Coordinates of all heavy atoms in Angstrom, one line a residue:
M344 N -26.1 3.5 20.9 CA -25.5 3.4 19.6 C -24.1 3.7 19.8 O -23.6 4.6 20.5 CB -26.2 4.6 18.8 CG -25.6 4.6 17.5 SD -26.1 6.1 16.4 CE -27.9 5.9 16.4
L345 N -23.3 2.9 19.0 CA -21.9 3.2 18.9 C -21.5 4.0 17.8 O -22.0 3.8 16.7 CB -21.1 1.8 18.9 CG -21.3 0.9 20.1 CD1 -20.6 -0.4 19.8 CD2 -20.7 1.5 21.3
R346 N -20.6 4.9 17.9 CA -20.2 5.8 16.8 C -18.7 5.6 16.7 O -17.9 5.4 17.6 CB -20.5 7.2 17.1 CG -22.0 7.6 17.2 CD -22.3 9.1 17.4 NE -23.6 9.2 17.7 CZ -24.4 9.9 17.0 NH1 -24.0 10.3 15.8 NH2 -25.7 10.0 17.3
A347 N -18.3 5.7 15.4 CA -16.9 5.6 15.1 C -16.1 6.8 15.7 O -16.8 8.0 15.7 CB -16.6 5.5 13.6
P348 N -14.9 6.7 16.1 CA -14.2 7.9 16.6 C -13.9 8.9 15.4 O -14.0 8.5 14.3 CB -12.9 7.4 17.1 CG -12.7 6.1 16.4 CD -14.1 5.5 16.1
P349 N -13.8 10.1 15.7 CA -13.5 11.2 14.7 C -12.2 10.8 14.0 O -11.3 10.1 14.6 CB -13.4 12.5 15.4 CG -13.2 12.1 16.8 CD -13.8 10.8 17.0
P350 N -12.1 11.2 12.7 CA -10.9 10.8 12.0 C -9.6 11.4 12.6 O -9.7 12.5 13.2 CB -11.1 11.4 10.6 CG -12.4 12.2 10.7 CD -13.0 12.0 11.9
G351 N -8.5 10.8 12.6 CA -7.3 11.2 13.2 C -6.7 12.3 12.3 O -7.2 12.7 11.3
K352 N -5.5 12.7 12.6 CA -4.7 13.6 11.9 C -4.4 13.1 10.5 O -4.0 11.9 10.5 CB -3.5 14.0 12.7 CG -2.8 15.2 12.2 CD -1.7 15.6 13.1 CE -0.3 15.4 12.4 NZ 0.9 15.8 13.2
A353 N -4.6 13.9 9.5 CA -4.3 13.4 8.1 C -2.8 13.2 7.9 O -1.9 13.9 8.5 CB -4.8 14.4 7.1
L354 N -2.4 12.2 7.1 CA -1.0 12.0 6.8 C -0.6 13.1 5.8 O -1.3 13.4 4.9 CB -0.8 10.7 6.1 CG -1.1 9.4 6.9 CD1 -1.0 8.2 6.1 CD2 -0.1 9.3 8.1
A355 N 0.6 13.6 6.0 CA 1.1 14.6 5.2 C 1.6 13.9 3.9 O 1.5 14.5 2.8 CB 2.3 15.5 5.9
E356 N 2.3 12.8 4.0 CA 2.8 12.1 2.8 C 2.4 10.7 2.8 O 2.9 9.8 3.4 CB 4.4 12.1 2.9 CG 5.0 13.4 2.5 CD 5.3 13.4 1.0 OE1 5.4 12.4 0.4 OE2 5.4 14.6 0.6
V357 N 1.3 10.4 2.0 CA 0.8 9.0 2.0 C 1.8 8.1 1.5 O 2.0 7.0 2.0 CB -0.5 9.0 1.1 CG1 -0.9 7.5 0.9 CG2 -1.6 9.8 1.8
G358 N 2.5 8.5 0.4 CA 3.5 7.6 -0.2 C 4.7 7.2 0.8 O 5.1 6.0 0.9
A359 N 5.1 8.2 1.5 CA 6.2 7.9 2.5 C 5.7 7.0 3.6 O 6.4 6.2 4.1 CB 6.7 9.3 3.1
A360 N 4.4 7.2 4.0 CA 3.8 6.4 5.1 C 3.7 4.9 4.6 O 4.0 4.1 5.4 CB 2.5 7.0 5.5
V361 N 3.3 4.8 3.4 CA 3.3 3.3 2.9 C 4.7 2.8 2.8 O 4.8 1.6 3.2 CB 2.6 3.4 1.5 CG1 2.7 2.0 0.8 CG2 1.1 3.8 1.6
R362 N 5.6 3.5 2.3 CA 7.0 3.0 2.2 C 7.5 2.5 3.6 O 8.0 1.5 3.8 CB 7.9 4.0 1.6 CG 7.8 4.1 0.1 CD 8.9 4.9 -0.6 NE 8.8 6.3 -0.1 CZ 8.1 7.2 -0.6 NH1 7.3 7.0 -1.5 NH2 8.1 8.5 0.0
D363 N 7.3 3.5 4.5 CA 7.7 3.2 5.9 C 7.1 2.0 6.5 O 7.7 1.1 7.2 CB 7.5 4.4 6.9 CG 8.5 5.5 6.6 OD1 9.4 5.3 5.8 OD2 8.3 6.6 7.1
A364 N 5.8 1.8 6.3 CA 5.0 0.7 6.8 C 5.5 -0.6 6.2 O 5.5 -1.6 6.8 CB 3.5 0.9 6.5
L365 N 5.8 -0.6 4.9 CA 6.3 -1.8 4.2 C 7.8 -2.2 4.6 O 8.1 -3.3 4.7 CB 6.2 -1.7 2.7 CG 4.8 -1.5 2.1 CD1 4.9 -1.3 0.6 CD2 4.0 -2.7 2.4
R366 N 8.6 -1.1 4.9 CA 9.9 -1.4 5.4 C 10.0 -1.7 6.8 O 10.9 -2.5 7.3 CB 10.8 -0.2 5.0 CG 11.0 0.0 3.5 CD 11.8 1.3 3.3 NE 11.9 1.5 1.8 CZ 12.5 2.5 1.3 NH1 13.2 3.3 2.0 NH2 12.5 2.7 0.0
F367 N 9.2 -1.0 7.6 CA 9.3 -1.1 9.1 C 7.9 -1.4 9.7 O 7.3 -0.5 10.4 CB 9.9 0.2 9.7 CG 11.1 0.6 9.0 CD1 11.1 1.7 8.1 CD2 12.4 0.0 9.1 CE1 12.3 2.1 7.5 CE2 13.5 0.4 8.5 CZ 13.5 1.5 7.7
P368 N 7.3 -2.6 9.5 CA 6.0 -2.8 10.0 C 6.0 -2.8 11.6 O 7.0 -3.0 12.2 CB 5.7 -4.2 9.5 CG 6.9 -4.8 9.2 CD 7.9 -3.8 8.8
L369 N 4.8 -2.5 12.2 CA 4.7 -2.5 13.6 C 4.9 -3.9 14.2 O 5.3 -4.0 15.4 CB 3.3 -1.9 14.0 CG 3.1 -0.4 13.7 CD1 1.8 0.0 14.1 CD2 4.2 0.4 14.3
S370 N 4.5 -4.9 13.4 CA 4.8 -6.3 13.9 C 5.0 -7.2 12.6 O 4.6 -6.8 11.5 CB 3.6 -6.8 14.7 OG 2.5 -7.1 13.9
G371 N 5.7 -8.2 12.8 CA 6.0 -9.1 11.7 C 7.2 -8.6 10.9 O 8.0 -7.7 11.2
Q372 N 7.4 -9.3 9.8 CA 8.6 -9.1 9.0 C 8.3 -8.0 7.9 O 7.2 -7.8 7.5 CB 9.0 -10.4 8.3 CG 9.4 -11.4 9.2 CD 9.7 -12.7 8.4 OE1 9.4 -12.9 7.3 NE2 10.3 -13.7 9.2
S373 N 9.3 -7.4 7.5 CA 9.3 -6.4 6.4 C 8.9 -7.1 5.0 O 9.2 -8.3 4.8 CB 10.6 -5.6 6.3 OG 11.6 -6.4 5.8
L374 N 8.5 -6.2 4.2 CA 8.2 -6.7 2.8 C 9.4 -7.4 2.1 O 9.4 -8.4 1.5 CB 7.5 -5.7 2.0 CG 7.0 -6.1 0.6 CD1 5.8 -6.9 0.7 CD2 6.7 -4.8 -0.2
E375 N 10.5 -6.8 2.4 CA 11.7 -7.2 1.8 C 12.1 -8.6 2.2 O 12.7 -9.4 1.4 CB 12.9 -6.2 2.1 CG 14.1 -6.4 1.3 CD 15.1 -5.2 1.3 OE1 14.8 -4.3 2.1 OE2 16.1 -5.3 0.5
T376 N 11.8 -9.0 3.5 CA 12.2 -10.3 3.9 C 11.2 -11.4 3.5 O 11.5 -12.6 3.5 CB 12.4 -10.3 5.5 OG1 11.2 -9.9 6.1 CG2 13.5 -9.5 5.9
L377 N 9.9 -10.9 3.2 CA 8.9 -11.8 2.9 C 8.8 -12.1 1.4 O 8.5 -13.3 1.0 CB 7.5 -11.2 3.3 CG 7.3 -11.2 4.7 CD1 6.0 -10.3 5.0 CD2 7.2 -12.5 5.4
V378 N 9.2 -11.2 0.5 CA 9.1 -11.4 -0.9 C 10.4 -11.7 -1.5 O 11.3 -10.9 -1.4 CB 8.5 -10.1 -1.6 CG1 8.3 -10.3 -3.1 CG2 7.1 -9.8 -1.0
P379 N 10.6 -12.8 -2.2 CA 11.9 -13.1 -2.8 C 12.1 -12.2 -4.0 O 11.2 -11.9 -4.8 CB 11.7 -14.6 -3.3 CG 10.3 -14.8 -3.4 CD 9.6 -13.9 -2.4
R380 N 13.4 -11.9 -4.2 CA 13.8 -11.1 -5.4 C 13.4 -11.8 -6.7 O 13.6 -13.0 -6.8 CB 15.3 -11.0 -5.4 CG 15.9 -10.1 -6.5 CD 17.3 -9.8 -6.3 NE 17.7 -8.7 -5.5 CZ 17.4 -7.4 -5.7 NH1 16.6 -7.1 -6.7 NH2 17.7 -6.4 -5.0
G381 N 12.7 -11.2 -7.5 CA 12.2 -11.8 -8.8 C 10.9 -12.5 -8.6 O 10.5 -13.2 -9.5
G382 N 10.4 -12.5 -7.4 CA 9.2 -13.3 -7.1 C 7.9 -12.6 -7.9 O 8.0 -11.7 -8.6
R383 N 6.8 -13.2 -7.6 CA 5.5 -12.8 -8.2 C 4.7 -12.3 -7.0 O 4.6 -13.0 -6.0 CB 4.8 -13.9 -8.9 CG 3.5 -13.5 -9.5 CD 3.0 -14.6 -10.5 NE 3.7 -14.8 -11.7 CZ 3.7 -13.8 -12.7 NH1 3.0 -12.9 -12.7 NH2 4.4 -14.1 -13.8
V384 N 4.0 -11.2 -7.2 CA 3.2 -10.6 -6.2 C 1.9 -10.2 -6.7 O 1.7 -9.7 -7.9 CB 3.9 -9.3 -5.6 CG1 3.0 -8.6 -4.6 CG2 5.2 -9.7 -5.0
T385 N 0.8 -10.4 -5.9 CA -0.6 -9.9 -6.3 C -0.9 -8.7 -5.2 O -0.8 -9.0 -4.0 CB -1.6 -11.0 -6.2 OG1 -1.2 -12.0 -7.2 CG2 -3.0 -10.4 -6.6
I386 N -1.3 -7.6 -5.8 CA -1.7 -6.5 -4.9 C -3.2 -6.4 -5.0 O -3.7 -6.3 -6.1 CB -1.0 -5.2 -5.4 CG1 0.6 -5.3 -5.4 CG2 -1.4 -4.0 -4.5 CD1 1.2 -4.2 -6.2
V387 N -3.9 -6.5 -3.9 CA -5.3 -6.4 -3.9 C -5.7 -5.0 -3.5 O -5.3 -4.5 -2.4 CB -5.9 -7.4 -2.9 CG1 -7.5 -7.3 -2.9 CG2 -5.5 -8.8 -3.2
V388 N -6.6 -4.3 -4.2 CA -7.0 -3.0 -4.0 C -8.6 -2.9 -4.1 O -9.2 -3.8 -4.8 CB -6.4 -2.0 -5.0 CG1 -5.0 -1.8 -4.8 CG2 -6.8 -2.3 -6.4
E389 N -9.1 -2.0 -3.4 CA -10.6 -1.8 -3.5 C -11.0 -1.2 -4.8 O -10.2 -0.3 -5.3 CB -11.2 -1.0 -2.3 CG -11.0 -1.6 -1.0 CD -11.5 -0.6 0.2 OE1 -11.4 0.6 -0.1 OE2 -12.0 -1.2 1.1
P390 N -12.2 -1.4 -5.3 CA -12.6 -0.6 -6.5 C -12.6 0.8 -6.2 O -13.0 1.3 -5.1 CB -14.0 -1.1 -6.8 CG -14.1 -2.4 -6.0 CD -13.2 -2.3 -4.8
P391 N -12.1 1.7 -7.2 CA -12.1 3.1 -6.9 C -13.4 3.8 -6.7 O -13.5 4.9 -6.2 CB -11.4 3.6 -8.2 CG -11.4 2.6 -9.2 CD -11.6 1.3 -8.5
G392 N -14.5 3.0 -7.1 CA -15.8 3.6 -6.9 C -16.3 3.6 -5.5 O -17.3 4.3 -5.1
L393 N -15.6 2.8 -4.6 CA -16.0 2.8 -3.2 C -15.3 3.9 -2.5 O -14.1 4.0 -2.5 CB -15.5 1.4 -2.6 CG -16.2 0.2 -3.1 CD1 -15.6 -1.0 -2.4 CD2 -17.7 0.3 -2.8
P394 N -16.1 4.8 -1.9 CA -15.6 6.0 -1.2 C -14.9 5.6 0.1 O -15.2 4.5 0.8 CB -16.8 6.8 -0.9 CG -17.9 5.9 -0.8 CD -17.6 4.8 -1.8
I395 N -13.9 6.3 0.5 CA -13.3 6.2 1.7 C -13.9 7.2 2.7 O -13.8 8.5 2.4 CB -11.7 6.4 1.6 CG1 -11.2 5.4 0.8 CG2 -11.1 6.4 3.1 CD1 -9.6 5.6 0.6
P396 N -14.6 6.9 3.7 CA -15.3 7.8 4.6 C -14.3 8.8 5.2 O -13.2 8.6 5.6 CB -15.8 6.9 5.8 CG -15.8 5.6 5.2 CD -14.7 5.5 4.2
S397 N -14.7 10.0 5.2 CA -14.0 11.2 5.7 C -12.7 11.5 5.1 O -11.9 12.2 5.6 CB -13.9 11.1 7.3 OG -13.0 10.1 7.6
A398 N -12.4 11.0 3.9 CA -11.2 11.3 3.3 C -11.4 12.4 2.2 O -12.2 12.2 1.3 CB -10.6 10.0 2.5
P399 N -10.7 13.6 2.4 CA -11.0 14.6 1.4 C -10.5 14.3 0.1 O -11.0 14.8 -0.9 CB -10.2 15.8 2.1 CG -9.2 15.2 3.0 CD -9.8 13.9 3.4
R400 N -9.3 13.6 0.0 CA -8.8 13.1 -1.3 C -8.7 11.6 -1.2 O -8.3 11.1 -0.1 CB -7.5 13.7 -1.6 CG -7.5 15.2 -1.7 CD -6.1 15.8 -2.0 NE -5.4 15.8 -0.7 CZ -4.2 15.5 -0.5 NH1 -3.4 15.1 -1.6 NH2 -3.6 15.5 0.6
D401 N -8.8 10.9 -2.3 CA -8.6 9.5 -2.3 C -7.1 9.1 -2.3 O -6.5 9.4 -3.3 CB -9.3 8.9 -3.5 CG -9.4 7.4 -3.4 OD1 -8.6 6.7 -2.6 OD2 -10.1 6.8 -4.2
P402 N -6.6 8.7 -1.2 CA -5.1 8.3 -1.2 C -4.7 7.0 -1.8 O -3.5 6.7 -1.8 CB -4.9 8.3 0.4 CG -6.1 7.8 1.0 CD -7.2 8.4 0.0
R403 N -5.7 6.2 -2.3 CA -5.4 4.9 -2.8 C -4.4 4.9 -4.0 O -3.5 4.0 -4.1 CB -6.7 4.1 -3.1 CG -7.4 3.8 -1.9 CD -8.7 3.0 -2.2 NE -9.7 4.1 -2.7 CZ -11.0 3.8 -2.7 NH1 -11.5 2.7 -2.2 NH2 -11.8 4.8 -3.1
Q404 N -4.5 5.9 -4.9 CA -3.6 5.9 -6.1 C -2.2 6.1 -5.6 O -1.2 5.5 -6.1 CB -4.0 6.9 -7.1 CG -5.3 6.5 -7.8 CD -5.7 7.6 -8.9 OE1 -5.2 8.7 -8.8 NE2 -6.6 7.2 -9.7
I405 N -2.0 7.1 -4.7 CA -0.6 7.4 -4.2 C -0.1 6.1 -3.4 O 1.1 5.8 -3.6 CB -0.7 8.6 -3.3 CG1 -1.1 9.8 -4.1 CG2 0.7 8.8 -2.6 CD1 -1.4 11.0 -3.2
A406 N -1.0 5.5 -2.6 CA -0.4 4.3 -1.9 C -0.1 3.2 -2.8 O 0.8 2.4 -2.6 CB -1.6 3.9 -0.9
L407 N -1.0 3.0 -3.8 CA -0.6 1.9 -4.8 C 0.7 2.2 -5.6 O 1.5 1.3 -5.7 CB -1.8 1.8 -5.8 CG -1.6 0.7 -6.9 CD1 -1.5 -0.6 -6.3 CD2 -2.8 0.8 -7.8
A408 N 0.9 3.4 -6.0 CA 2.1 3.8 -6.6 C 3.4 3.5 -5.7 O 4.3 3.0 -6.2 CB 2.1 5.2 -7.1
A409 N 3.2 3.9 -4.5 CA 4.3 3.7 -3.5 C 4.5 2.2 -3.3 O 5.8 1.7 -3.2 CB 4.0 4.4 -2.2
T410 N 3.6 1.4 -3.3 CA 3.7 -0.1 -3.1 C 4.4 -0.7 -4.3 O 5.3 -1.5 -4.2 CB 2.3 -0.7 -2.9 OG1 1.7 -0.2 -1.8 CG2 2.4 -2.2 -2.7
V411 N 4.0 -0.3 -5.5 CA 4.6 -0.8 -6.7 C 6.1 -0.4 -6.8 O 6.9 -1.3 -7.1 CB 3.8 -0.3 -8.0 CG1 4.6 -0.6 -9.3 CG2 2.4 -1.0 -8.1
A412 N 6.4 0.8 -6.4 CA 7.7 1.3 -6.4 C 8.6 0.5 -5.4 O 9.7 0.2 -5.7 CB 7.8 2.8 -6.2
E413 N 8.0 0.3 -4.3 CA 8.8 -0.5 -3.2 C 9.0 -1.9 -3.6 O 10.1 -2.4 -3.4 CB 8.0 -0.4 -1.9 CG 8.7 -1.0 -0.8 CD 9.9 -0.3 -0.3 OE1 10.2 0.9 -0.7 OE2 10.7 -0.8 0.5
L414 N 8.0 -2.6 -4.3 CA 8.2 -3.9 -4.8 C 9.4 -3.8 -5.9 O 10.2 -4.8 -5.8 CB 7.0 -4.4 -5.3 CG 5.9 -4.9 -4.3 CD1 4.6 -5.0 -4.9 CD2 6.4 -6.1 -3.6
E415 N 9.4 -2.9 -6.8 CA 10.4 -2.8 -7.8 C 11.8 -2.6 -7.1 O 12.8 -3.2 -7.5 CB 10.1 -1.7 -8.7 CG 9.0 -2.0 -9.7 CD 8.8 -0.9 -10.7 OE1 8.6 0.3 -10.3 OE2 8.7 -1.3 -11.9
R416 N 11.9 -1.8 -6.0 CA 13.1 -1.6 -5.3 C 13.7 -2.8 -4.7 O 14.9 -3.0 -4.7 CB 12.9 -0.6 -4.2 CG 14.1 -0.1 -3.5 CD 13.9 0.6 -2.2 NE 13.3 -0.2 -1.1 CZ 14.0 -1.0 -0.3 NH1 15.4 -1.2 -0.5 NH2 13.4 -1.7 0.6
I417 N 12.8 -3.7 -4.2 CA 13.3 -4.9 -3.6 C 13.5 -6.1 -4.6 O 13.8 -7.2 -4.2 CB 12.5 -5.3 -2.4 CG1 11.0 -5.8 -2.8 CG2 12.4 -4.3 -1.4 CD1 10.2 -6.4 -1.7
G418 N 13.3 -5.8 -5.9 CA 13.6 -6.8 -6.9 C 12.5 -7.5 -7.6 O 12.6 -8.6 -8.2
V419 N 11.2 -7.0 -7.4 CA 10.1 -7.7 -8.1 C 9.7 -6.7 -9.2 O 9.1 -5.6 -9.1 CB 8.9 -7.8 -7.1 CG1 7.7 -8.4 -7.9 CG2 9.2 -8.6 -5.9
P420 N 10.0 -7.1 -10.4 CA 9.8 -6.3 -11.6 C 8.3 -6.0 -11.8 O 7.5 -6.8 -11.4 CB 10.5 -7.0 -12.7 CG 10.6 -8.4 -12.3 CD 10.7 -8.3 -10.9
L421 N 8.0 -4.9 -12.5 CA 6.6 -4.6 -12.8 C 5.8 -5.7 -13.5 O 4.7 -6.0 -13.1 CB 6.5 -3.3 -13.6 CG 5.1 -2.7 -13.7 CD1 4.5 -2.4 -12.4 CD2 5.2 -1.4 -14.6
E422 N 6.4 -6.4 -14.4 CA 5.7 -7.5 -15.1 C 5.4 -8.7 -14.2 O 4.7 -9.6 -14.6 CB 6.5 -7.9 -16.3 CG 7.9 -8.4 -16.1 CD 9.0 -7.3 -16.2 OE1 8.6 -6.1 -16.2 OE2 10.1 -7.6 -16.1
R423 N 6.0 -8.8 -13.0 CA 5.7 -9.9 -12.1 C 4.8 -9.4 -10.9 O 4.6 -10.1 -10.0 CB 7.0 -10.4 -11.5 CG 7.8 -11.0 -12.7 CD 8.8 -12.0 -12.3 NE 8.5 -13.0 -11.5 CZ 8.0 -14.3 -11.8 NH1 7.8 -14.5 -13.1 NH2 7.8 -15.2 -10.9
Q424 N 4.1 -8.2 -11.1 CA 3.2 -7.7 -10.2 C 1.9 -7.7 -10.8 O 1.6 -7.3 -12.0 CB 3.5 -6.3 -9.8 CG 4.8 -6.1 -9.1 CD 5.2 -4.7 -8.7 OE1 4.3 -3.9 -8.4 NE2 6.5 -4.4 -8.8
T425 N 0.8 -8.2 -10.1 CA -0.5 -8.3 -10.6 C -1.4 -7.5 -9.7 O -1.4 -7.6 -8.5 CB -1.0 -9.7 -10.7 OG1 -0.1 -10.6 -11.5 CG2 -2.4 -9.9 -11.2
L426 N -2.3 -6.6 -10.3 CA -3.3 -5.9 -9.5 C -4.6 -6.6 -9.6 O -5.1 -7.0 -10.6 CB -3.5 -4.5 -10.1 CG -2.4 -3.5 -10.0 CD1 -2.6 -2.2 -10.6 CD2 -1.9 -3.3 -8.5
L427 N -5.2 -6.8 -8.5 CA -6.5 -7.5 -8.3 C -7.4 -6.5 -7.7 O -7.2 -6.2 -6.5 CB -6.4 -8.8 -7.5 CG -7.7 -9.4 -7.2 CD1 -8.4 -9.9 -8.5 CD2 -7.4 -10.7 -6.2
V428 N -8.4 -6.0 -8.4 CA -9.4 -5.1 -7.9 C -10.6 -5.9 -7.5 O -11.3 -6.5 -8.2 CB -9.8 -4.1 -9.0 CG1 -10.8 -3.1 -8.5 CG2 -8.6 -3.3 -9.5
A429 N -10.8 -5.8 -6.1 CA -11.9 -6.7 -5.5 C -12.5 -6.0 -4.3 O -11.9 -5.1 -3.7 CB -11.3 -8.0 -5.0

């Protein structure tokens, strides 16, 4: 039987981790180079009813808020952002 590894060290700042990942990805281009200023973006999120295994608190709301703020910072206004819960 294969078992998942134990959870790693928890992130102290989920929002900061999301911002850093969008600005400085481990591979590929940053969000700022991929999304044109004034463009339209769809953000796909899991339904909040789905639990995240071994997460003491659900970090998705903080991550989503950081993503929306980062998109606004690079020139994608809130009205051009669509949330798709799937």
Side-chain angles (χ1 to χ4, degrees):
M344 176 190 304
L345 297 176
R346 294 178 191 252
K352 191 171 114 181
L354 292 173
E356 280 274 337
V357 172
V361 170
R362 283 188 301 275
D363 286 351
L365 295 174
R366 291 179 187 181
F367 312 105
L369 294 178
S370 73
Q372 298 176 348
S373 69
L374 187 67
E375 193 165 7
T376 59
L377 294 171
V378 179
R380 187 173 270 300
R383 179 170 291 284
V384 174
T385 300
I386 304 167
V387 180
V388 296
E389 291 180 331
L393 294 177
I395 298 176
S397 72
R400 295 179 285 139
D401 189 345
R403 290 177 283 204
Q404 289 181 347
I405 297 167
L407 179 58
T410 301
V411 168
E413 186 65 14
L414 285 164
E415 287 182 310
R416 184 191 72 79
I417 64 172
V419 179
L421 189 58
E422 59 271 7
R423 298 199 48 89
Q424 298 180 32
T425 301
L426 290 180
L427 174 62
V428 180

